[in-house]
Amino acid sequence: MNSKSWRYTAEDLPQLSPFGSVLADRIAISRFEDGGWKSGGLIPMNDFRLHPGAHCLHYGSSCFEGLKAYRWDDDSIALFRPDRHIQRMQQSAAVLRLPIPDRDELMEMLVATVMDAMADIPPAPGTLYLRPILLGTDTNIGAAARPSESAVLYVMASPVGDYFAAGDRALRLLIQESARTTSQFGKVKTGANYASALGITLDARDKWGTDQILFCPDSDVQETGASNFVLIDDKTIITKPLCDSFLHGVTRDSVLQIGRDLGYEIQEKDFCVDDLLKWTQHGEAALSGTAAVLAGVGTMIHNEKEYTLSGGETGPNTQRLRKALVSVQRGTEANGHGWIKKLT
Ligand SMILES: Cc1ncc(COP(=O)(O)O)c(C=O)c1O
């Protein structure tokens, strides 16, 4: 592709806000019927049909993923850790008792979607955000206690810039001592979890001007509505160990590995709100996620009191780790972990 074929330049990135609102015209689609997956190729998004009685609309049988395709400086295209996102989608589908997407077929759908939307991939710091979604499609509105035996899987693409409207500003979090979702759904990427966190996140935004809530049920520091949570200082990265109560982020795993490579000591351990408040006196905190990348936290609010971290800015170690992660995603630095799938 020559430079004239690209739709977006760096100056166009503000047009792509809010994150996820601009969509590519076509989706890759596959249906699970009569016990097997049948590829439907690429179709115009407007041709997508869903029966009003579909199981997913009534009983929440749906799960999704979010990953990114990057346009590197040499205009080649790469996906970051698509295999991990596919595995997590298979895990979500299994918990929801939905037909499990086939690994190779979903990979082909991701590649087909990116190749089809190639011209729409913005340059750095923009990306093409990919959204595979799996929906239960049985048309029986009495099937509350039965799984959907049919399903549709499709992949949407959205050229994006920054996830947080704040751009690079350090984030404000409200520490809330309640759960984001139920424990059996914590590691499942399903819409119900986001629905359950939405109301209190909006209330906190109105009352405290916060960007996100940090969910800490019974004082156990877990994650925010759409990202994992890490503590960082000059020597150490601390985060909650994997368990069923929160989403196992691909970015979390990548940041821990990159941190290890850079010589940080990695501590995967439980910690409580008191530990966190003490940490604010000297350390940094950050949110990790595909959309958030690694976003610094400048302020935390707890019991009506504000705690400032890193002078209210993104801390230097957070910046260093973010830069290292982005260098791998953008191909300016190789890291040997096999995380990149080159498409062109
Ligand atoms: C609730 C929640 N936690 C954590 C994450 C981070 O996951 P990942 O790094 O795989 O994007 C996300 C984003 O997908 C999320 O929605």
Side-chain angles (χ1 to χ4, degrees), residues 245-267:
S245 67
F246 72 101
L247 195 75
H248 300 178
V250 178
T251 318
R252 171 193 177 281
D253 183 79
S254 310
V255 167
L256 295 187
Q257 189 57 57
I258 286 172
R260 215 171 266 125
D261 296 346
L262 291 174
Y264 288 86
E265 184 195 336
I266 309 302
Q267 296 182 10

Side-chain angles (χ1 to χ4, degrees), residues 137-158:
T137 50
D138 280 10
T139 53
N140 173 352
I141 61 170
R146 279 210 296 281
S148 182
E149 286 171 5
S150 60
V152 62
L153 172 68
Y154 55 93
V155 181
M156 303 174 82
S158 172

Side-chain angles (χ1 to χ4, degrees), residues 213-230:
I213 287 182
L214 178 60
F215 292 96
C216 308
D218 300 322
S219 192
D220 175 35
V221 179
Q222 296 191 337
E223 64 177 336
T224 70
S227 325
N228 295 124
F229 183 73
V230 288

Side-chain angles (χ1 to χ4, degrees), residues 44 47 77 138 142 161 183 189 202 213 236 252 265 274 312 324 326:
D47 287 357
I77 306 299
D138 280 10
S183 51
K189 201 159 166 64
L202 295 182
I213 287 182
T236 322
R252 171 193 177 281
E265 184 195 336
D274 278 348
V326 171

